[in-house]
Amino acid sequence: MRVLLINPPNCGRSIPEEEFGITSIKQIFRGEPFSLEVLAGGLANHDVRILDLKCEKESMLWPVLAGFKPDIVGFTAVTCEANKVLAFAREIKSQMDCRIVVGGNHASCDPQYFNQPEIDFIIVGIGKQSFGQLAGKLEKNETDIDIPGVARRKAGSNLQFTSRNYSRADLMEDNPPRYDLVETYRSHYVLEKLNMRMGFVITAHGCTHHCSFCAIPPTTGGKYLLHNSESVLRDIKLLGDIPFIRMVDANTFGNPRAAQELCDRIKAAGIRKKYIADVRADTIVNHYDLLKEWQGAGLAGVVVGFEEVEDSRLSAYDKQYKSDVVTRSLEMLHKLGLMIVGDFIVSPDYTEDDFARLEKFIARHKIHVPMLSILTPLPGTPLYASAKNNLLIHDLDYYTFTNAVLPTRLPQRQFYETYASIMNKFHSR
Ligand code: B12
Ligand code: SF4
């Protein structure tokens, strides 16, 4: 089968820009559409292409469809991309005969959203194995599509969904990601500040924790699924001379024993690359020596979801640690000399004092790259269940983490101006 996998363009709308003319709140990140490369790895018997509309002009979609004539078009989408993907799917369905499949973070958390006539199948959760099985059945024109993890629309009724029990079999570790399918886009995937080429590798899916705002646990049914170290090593090598590796796990080093084993194997193989990993603050505090070992293997920086500096809010987010862990982890990271990307959540109920406290904290602890996201209840998360009746904005185009979709305590203009001024201060340094 011909399968076209599409990474949607950068999506999202901005209240600060539309309402108050504040144009500086832009979080443009870059990186390869790794989920699609992973999926392509599970489609070995098919002719697969990847179209990255974050690199190409949107208008390229049509000539590519006309030239390739796919039997299956697969879209990935986070929440703020969901509407755009539905619009593309509608247009494609009106112009050609093909099956449209959607997967990714939003489909996993809120599959019902894609219960639309233009979508044929929705893959819920990590999708390498289930998508491969689906493509196999479609190729044989089978009509009985009863595959765990695959939801489908039935005319006039709700989604029909075969539930699943996630396991390591879903990872299909013998099939590596198809890095080759994005070769033409490689020059776009750079770590901008350092102008360094960057590649993605994953060592584990899902997370060991269940923070209330987080959209990761639904992708694996709450499980933490580890790759074996051999397959990770293989993927690092497949990236050839790319010098910088972003480990895109939501929680790298979540299994310290496995993390140590991988570190030992990277050292033994003599691989010389730089790594950046997402690590929990309590992992840093409890496993300082592990980080030190990893630094010896090339770890250059960490992304840490500190989220908050106040105990009551940390506890409301179900982070499972207190603010002293945040400060201790920062001391340890500075002692090691690692680059620190610190994620913080700005709650819509922030006062000027809260903003000032956060700003002071970031400056005092010399966090190199602070990232400030506005608390956003994503459908499918525990936070959404508790906050949905208070939502001011339901249009998912605004679910970019840079808009307050819940009411702000400060007047909106003041909220956004304060938020923007802190971001600008840190990012202009
Ligand atoms: C790398 C990354 C990016 C990259 C690359 C993404 C890309 N597609 O180009 C960049 C930097 C561009 C990016 C951008 C953004 N990101 Co981002 N990103 C990630 C990150 C760190 C890793 C994603 C990844 O590669 N995972 C590994 C792959 C293998 O797993 P996966 O994506 O879950 O894919 C599996 C399944 O979901 C499924 N699947 C996925 N797609 C499809 C498609 C089909 C057809 C099928 C069948 C199955 C399927 O199968 C895959 C393989 O098993 C995640 C956090 C995380 N650790 O997961 C955040 C994450 C996905 N990003 C997030 C967000 C919010 C954003 C941004 C809005 C920016 C921001 N403020 O953070 C923008 C969105 C872009 C835009 N404005 O439109 C959120 C999404 C939450 C949500 N539901 O909205 C996440 C979860 C992080 C978080 N803080 O919560 N991101
Ligand atoms: S925020 Fe981080 S630690 Fe919490 S559930 Fe999500 S990935 Fe895991």
Side-chain angles (χ1 to χ4, degrees):
M1 296 219 111
R2 286 186 301 274
V3 185
L4 181 65
L5 300 174
I6 302 178
N7 193 27
N10 274 308
C11 296
R13 297 182 61 180
S14 165
I15 300 170
E17 186 167 349
E18 289 169 11
E19 304 266 322
F20 309 111
I22 302 170
T23 54
S24 59
I25 305 175
K26 288 224 166 59
Q27 299 201 5
I28 300 289
F29 306 101
R30 289 179 199 282
E32 58 196 288
F34 188 59
S35 53
L36 301 182
E37 297 160 40
V38 167
L39 290 171
L43 296 170
N45 302 321
H46 304 276
D47 181 5
V48 189
R49 292 199 193 162
I50 292 180
L51 175 64
D52 188 348
L53 293 177
K54 288 188 172 61
C55 301
E56 299 269 17
K57 283 205 179 90
E58 214 175 297
S59 57
M60 277 308 290
L61 175 61
W62 306 107
V64 170
L65 285 167
F68 186 47
K69 297 188 180 54
D71 304 297
I72 302 176
V73 172
F75 283 102
T76 188
V78 299
T79 301
C80 68
E81 297 167 336
N83 288 334
K84 184 76 185 178
V85 163
L86 280 176
F88 276 141
R90 213 167 297 137
E91 185 82 26
I92 294 171
K93 274 280 181 186
S94 72
Q95 299 199 18
M96 61 190 290
D97 182 25
C98 66
R99 308 295 185 103
I100 299 201
V101 184
V102 64
N105 205 275
H106 192 70
S108 303
C109 294
D110 186 16
Q112 196 59 35
Y113 195 78
F114 291 111
N115 186 8
Q116 299 291 340
E118 56 271 31
I119 304 292
D120 296 292
F121 299 100
I122 303 153
I123 308 285
V124 181
I126 48 175
K128 196 176 184 181
Q129 182 166 243
S130 26
F131 192 35
Q133 290 166 344
L134 175 65
K137 288 214 177 221
L138 293 177
E139 184 164 41
K140 290 185 210 137
N141 281 321
E142 287 183 27
T143 47
D144 170 29
I145 310 268
D146 192 8
I147 303 168
V150 177
R152 58 221 175 273
R153 183 178 169 79
K154 273 207 114 188
S157 69
N158 276 337
L159 280 181
Q160 195 171 325
F161 176 59
T162 310
S163 65
R164 63 191 301 188
N165 187 15
Y166 295 88
S167 75
R168 277 182 68 174
D170 285 301
L171 309 183
M172 298 177 72
E173 290 169 279
D174 291 342
N175 300 32
R178 293 283 309 274
Y179 292 115
D180 57 303
L181 293 180
V182 296
E183 211 38 62
T184 50
Y185 302 124
R186 265 287 154 213
S187 59
H188 294 264
Y189 307 144
V190 288
L191 194 66
E192 259 171 315
K193 291 252 152 71
L194 303 175
N195 197 22
M196 213 182 236
R197 287 179 306 141
M198 174 178 57
F200 287 177
V201 162
I202 192 159
T203 78
H205 294 256
C207 187
T208 50
H209 286 69
H210 301 90
C211 306
S212 65
F213 56 85
C214 182
I216 294 295
T219 60
T220 53
K223 288 187 180 166
Y224 186 62
L225 298 172
L226 268 176
H227 274 274
N228 65 55
S229 57
E230 202 167 307
S231 70
V232 180
L233 208 62
R234 173 202 61 205
D235 297 350
I236 294 172
K237 287 181 185 162
L238 278 173
L239 281 166
D241 63 356
I242 292 172
F244 208 98
I245 305 280
R246 165 98 202 254
M247 291 191 270
V248 292
D249 316 24
N251 176 1
T252 322
F253 311 151
N255 178 325
R257 190 192 44 75
Q260 183 62 58
E261 183 192 318
L262 179 60
C263 176
D264 293 343
R265 292 193 71 155
I266 289 174
K267 284 183 182 167
I271 297 172
R272 304 221 168 278
K273 288 182 190 278
K274 295 282 176 216
Y275 301 88
I276 185 159
D278 284 47
V279 189
R280 276 180 58 93
D282 51 2
T283 305
I284 297 162
V285 169
N286 297 330
H287 301 283
Y288 177 82
D289 289 343
L290 175 67
L291 264 91
K292 203 167 178 181
E293 288 278 341
W294 260 93
Q295 193 174 26
L299 185 69
V302 286
V303 182
V304 190
F306 297 116
E307 327 300 8
E308 250 302 336
V309 295
E310 257 206 354
D311 283 343
S312 59
R313 287 203 173 95
L314 280 170
S315 150
Y317 296 152
D318 215 359
K319 263 328 265 195
Q320 303 284 329
Y321 55 67
K322 292 208 177 336
S323 55
D324 65 311
V325 168
V326 173
T327 30
R328 276 161 58 210
S329 67
L330 281 162
E331 282 158 21
M332 290 177 170
L333 291 173
H334 281 303
K335 197 165 149 200
L336 288 166
L338 288 170
M339 193 217 10
I340 308 167
V341 181
D343 287 336
F344 292 92
I345 297 177
V346 169
S347 170
D349 73 2
Y350 259 27
T351 59
E352 285 284 356
D353 282 350
D354 291 316
F355 273 116
R357 188 179 312 118
L358 180 61
E359 185 181 348
K360 236 189 237 160
F361 183 91
I362 291 169
R364 187 168 68 241
H365 291 280
K366 299 188 172 58
I367 294 170
H368 306 112
V369 187
M371 304 295 298
L372 273 49
S373 299
I374 298 178
L375 181 69
T376 306
L378 295 172
T381 61
L383 174 68
Y384 184 85
S386 61
K388 66 174 186 242
N389 293 335
N390 294 333
L391 285 171
L392 277 184
I393 295 171
H394 295 269
D395 181 347
L396 297 187
D397 287 359
Y398 291 100
Y399 284 53
T400 54
F401 295 10
T402 49
N403 294 302
V405 299
L406 288 167
T408 54
R409 176 172 297 189
L410 288 172
Q412 274 209 12
R413 177 186 285 276
Q414 193 181 350
F415 178 87
Y416 286 120
E417 280 176 351
T418 314
Y419 173 56
S421 93
I422 297 182
M423 300 255 281
N424 294 342
K425 236 179 259 172
F426 287 120
H427 288 269
S428 60
R429 285 184 313 179

PDB file of all heavy atoms in Angstrom, residues 179-192:
ATOM      1  N   TYR A 179      14.573   7.104   9.702  1.00  0.00           N
ATOM      2  CA  TYR A 179      15.205   8.434   9.622  1.00  0.00           C
ATOM      3  C   TYR A 179      15.402   8.853   8.166  1.00  0.00           C
ATOM      4  O   TYR A 179      15.390  10.029   7.837  1.00  0.00           O
ATOM      5  CB  TYR A 179      16.559   8.407  10.316  1.00  0.00           C
ATOM      6  CG  TYR A 179      16.505   8.239  11.825  1.00  0.00           C
ATOM      7  CD1 TYR A 179      17.021   7.099  12.445  1.00  0.00           C
ATOM      8  CD2 TYR A 179      15.960   9.235  12.634  1.00  0.00           C
ATOM      9  CE1 TYR A 179      16.991   6.950  13.825  1.00  0.00           C
ATOM     10  CE2 TYR A 179      15.930   9.087  14.012  1.00  0.00           C
ATOM     11  CZ  TYR A 179      16.443   7.954  14.609  1.00  0.00           C
ATOM     12  OH  TYR A 179      16.416   7.808  15.966  1.00  0.00           O
ATOM     13  N   ASP A 180      15.609   7.841   7.305  1.00  0.00           N
ATOM     14  CA  ASP A 180      15.897   8.153   5.895  1.00  0.00           C
ATOM     15  C   ASP A 180      14.740   8.899   5.217  1.00  0.00           C
ATOM     16  O   ASP A 180      14.952   9.640   4.272  1.00  0.00           O
ATOM     17  CB  ASP A 180      16.189   6.844   5.130  1.00  0.00           C
ATOM     18  CG  ASP A 180      15.030   5.857   5.230  1.00  0.00           C
ATOM     19  OD1 ASP A 180      14.645   5.497   6.367  1.00  0.00           O
ATOM     20  OD2 ASP A 180      14.481   5.458   4.178  1.00  0.00           O
ATOM     21  N   LEU A 181      13.525   8.720   5.724  1.00  0.00           N
ATOM     22  CA  LEU A 181      12.369   9.337   5.045  1.00  0.00           C
ATOM     23  C   LEU A 181      12.307  10.854   5.239  1.00  0.00           C
ATOM     24  O   LEU A 181      11.487  11.522   4.602  1.00  0.00           O
ATOM     25  CB  LEU A 181      11.058   8.701   5.538  1.00  0.00           C
ATOM     26  CG  LEU A 181      10.843   7.225   5.172  1.00  0.00           C
ATOM     27  CD1 LEU A 181       9.515   6.720   5.723  1.00  0.00           C
ATOM     28  CD2 LEU A 181      10.879   7.034   3.657  1.00  0.00           C
ATOM     29  N   VAL A 182      13.113  11.400   6.154  1.00  0.00           N
ATOM     30  CA  VAL A 182      13.101  12.865   6.333  1.00  0.00           C
ATOM     31  C   VAL A 182      14.451  13.478   5.956  1.00  0.00           C
ATOM     32  O   VAL A 182      14.735  14.629   6.313  1.00  0.00           O
ATOM     33  CB  VAL A 182      12.705  13.273   7.778  1.00  0.00           C
ATOM     34  CG1 VAL A 182      11.286  12.854   8.098  1.00  0.00           C
ATOM     35  CG2 VAL A 182      13.672  12.703   8.812  1.00  0.00           C
ATOM     36  N   GLU A 183      15.249  12.698   5.234  1.00  0.00           N
ATOM     37  CA  GLU A 183      16.597  13.151   4.880  1.00  0.00           C
ATOM     38  C   GLU A 183      16.569  14.541   4.213  1.00  0.00           C
ATOM     39  O   GLU A 183      17.395  15.396   4.522  1.00  0.00           O
ATOM     40  CB  GLU A 183      17.218  12.109   3.944  1.00  0.00           C
ATOM     41  CG  GLU A 183      18.720  11.969   4.060  1.00  0.00           C
ATOM     42  CD  GLU A 183      19.267  12.093   5.481  1.00  0.00           C
ATOM     43  OE1 GLU A 183      18.898  11.261   6.321  1.00  0.00           O
ATOM     44  OE2 GLU A 183      20.057  13.032   5.728  1.00  0.00           O
ATOM     45  N   THR A 184      15.579  14.754   3.322  1.00  0.00           N
ATOM     46  CA  THR A 184      15.561  16.035   2.598  1.00  0.00           C
ATOM     47  C   THR A 184      15.250  17.215   3.517  1.00  0.00           C
ATOM     48  O   THR A 184      15.467  18.363   3.152  1.00  0.00           O
ATOM     49  CB  THR A 184      14.507  16.037   1.471  1.00  0.00           C
ATOM     50  OG1 THR A 184      13.268  15.589   2.035  1.00  0.00           O
ATOM     51  CG2 THR A 184      14.893  15.140   0.319  1.00  0.00           C
ATOM     52  N   TYR A 185      14.690  16.936   4.685  1.00  0.00           N
ATOM     53  CA  TYR A 185      14.335  18.039   5.599  1.00  0.00           C
ATOM     54  C   TYR A 185      15.406  18.272   6.666  1.00  0.00           C
ATOM     55  O   TYR A 185      15.267  19.150   7.498  1.00  0.00           O
ATOM     56  CB  TYR A 185      13.030  17.720   6.336  1.00  0.00           C
ATOM     57  CG  TYR A 185      11.831  17.467   5.447  1.00  0.00           C
ATOM     58  CD1 TYR A 185      11.114  16.275   5.556  1.00  0.00           C
ATOM     59  CD2 TYR A 185      11.410  18.422   4.536  1.00  0.00           C
ATOM     60  CE1 TYR A 185       9.993  16.036   4.760  1.00  0.00           C
ATOM     61  CE2 TYR A 185      10.299  18.187   3.736  1.00  0.00           C
ATOM     62  CZ  TYR A 185       9.597  16.992   3.856  1.00  0.00           C
ATOM     63  OH  TYR A 185       8.500  16.773   3.070  1.00  0.00           O
ATOM     64  N   ARG A 186      16.438  17.440   6.696  1.00  0.00           N
ATOM     65  CA  ARG A 186      17.399  17.433   7.815  1.00  0.00           C
ATOM     66  C   ARG A 186      17.926  18.824   8.182  1.00  0.00           C
ATOM     67  O   ARG A 186      18.108  19.134   9.350  1.00  0.00           O
ATOM     68  CB  ARG A 186      18.589  16.542   7.501  1.00  0.00           C
ATOM     69  CG  ARG A 186      18.502  15.140   8.022  1.00  0.00           C
ATOM     70  CD  ARG A 186      18.673  14.999   9.515  1.00  0.00           C
ATOM     71  NE  ARG A 186      17.968  13.779   9.896  1.00  0.00           N
ATOM     72  CZ  ARG A 186      17.350  13.592  11.036  1.00  0.00           C
ATOM     73  NH1 ARG A 186      17.360  14.519  11.957  1.00  0.00           N
ATOM     74  NH2 ARG A 186      16.712  12.480  11.281  1.00  0.00           N
ATOM     75  N   SER A 187      18.170  19.662   7.154  1.00  0.00           N
ATOM     76  CA  SER A 187      18.783  20.967   7.459  1.00  0.00           C
ATOM     77  C   SER A 187      17.849  21.840   8.304  1.00  0.00           C
ATOM     78  O   SER A 187      18.283  22.813   8.917  1.00  0.00           O
ATOM     79  CB  SER A 187      19.143  21.688   6.158  1.00  0.00           C
ATOM     80  OG  SER A 187      17.969  21.868   5.406  1.00  0.00           O
ATOM     81  N   HIS A 188      16.551  21.482   8.356  1.00  0.00           N
ATOM     82  CA  HIS A 188      15.602  22.256   9.188  1.00  0.00           C
ATOM     83  C   HIS A 188      15.689  21.859  10.659  1.00  0.00           C
ATOM     84  O   HIS A 188      15.240  22.595  11.525  1.00  0.00           O
ATOM     85  CB  HIS A 188      14.156  22.004   8.735  1.00  0.00           C
ATOM     86  CG  HIS A 188      13.860  22.525   7.367  1.00  0.00           C
ATOM     87  ND1 HIS A 188      13.283  23.753   7.148  1.00  0.00           N
ATOM     88  CD2 HIS A 188      14.058  21.985   6.139  1.00  0.00           C
ATOM     89  CE1 HIS A 188      13.135  23.944   5.853  1.00  0.00           C
ATOM     90  NE2 HIS A 188      13.593  22.871   5.224  1.00  0.00           N
ATOM     91  N   TYR A 189      16.173  20.664  10.921  1.00  0.00           N
ATOM     92  CA  TYR A 189      16.118  20.157  12.294  1.00  0.00           C
ATOM     93  C   TYR A 189      17.396  20.535  13.031  1.00  0.00           C
ATOM     94  O   TYR A 189      18.329  19.751  13.173  1.00  0.00           O
ATOM     95  CB  TYR A 189      15.927  18.631  12.287  1.00  0.00           C
ATOM     96  CG  TYR A 189      14.744  18.151  11.457  1.00  0.00           C
ATOM     97  CD1 TYR A 189      14.795  16.964  10.733  1.00  0.00           C
ATOM     98  CD2 TYR A 189      13.563  18.894  11.403  1.00  0.00           C
ATOM     99  CE1 TYR A 189      13.719  16.526   9.976  1.00  0.00           C
ATOM    100  CE2 TYR A 189      12.487  18.466  10.642  1.00  0.00           C
ATOM    101  CZ  TYR A 189      12.573  17.286   9.925  1.00  0.00           C
ATOM    102  OH  TYR A 189      11.507  16.866   9.182  1.00  0.00           O
ATOM    103  N   VAL A 190      17.419  21.791  13.466  1.00  0.00           N
ATOM    104  CA  VAL A 190      18.619  22.290  14.138  1.00  0.00           C
ATOM    105  C   VAL A 190      18.274  22.844  15.516  1.00  0.00           C
ATOM    106  O   VAL A 190      17.164  23.308  15.759  1.00  0.00           O
ATOM    107  CB  VAL A 190      19.320  23.412  13.321  1.00  0.00           C
ATOM    108  CG1 VAL A 190      19.998  22.865  12.097  1.00  0.00           C
ATOM    109  CG2 VAL A 190      18.336  24.520  12.961  1.00  0.00           C
ATOM    110  N   LEU A 191      19.247  22.775  16.385  1.00  0.00           N
ATOM    111  CA  LEU A 191      19.134  23.412  17.684  1.00  0.00           C
ATOM    112  C   LEU A 191      19.551  24.855  17.448  1.00  0.00           C
ATOM    113  O   LEU A 191      20.737  25.153  17.311  1.00  0.00           O
ATOM    114  CB  LEU A 191      20.094  22.696  18.643  1.00  0.00           C
ATOM    115  CG  LEU A 191      19.915  22.963  20.115  1.00  0.00           C
ATOM    116  CD1 LEU A 191      18.576  22.395  20.596  1.00  0.00           C
ATOM    117  CD2 LEU A 191      21.041  22.282  20.887  1.00  0.00           C
ATOM    118  N   GLU A 192      18.531  25.728  17.370  1.00  0.00           N
ATOM    119  CA  GLU A 192      18.797  27.045  16.813  1.00  0.00           C
ATOM    120  C   GLU A 192      19.886  27.845  17.533  1.00  0.00           C
ATOM    121  O   GLU A 192      20.782  28.392  16.908  1.00  0.00           O
ATOM    122  CB  GLU A 192      17.496  27.841  16.769  1.00  0.00           C
ATOM    123  CG  GLU A 192      16.917  27.848  15.375  1.00  0.00           C
ATOM    124  CD  GLU A 192      15.539  28.429  15.352  1.00  0.00           C
ATOM    125  OE1 GLU A 192      14.725  28.070  16.219  1.00  0.00           O
ATOM    126  OE2 GLU A 192      15.287  29.259  14.486  1.00  0.00           O
TER     127      GLU A 192
END
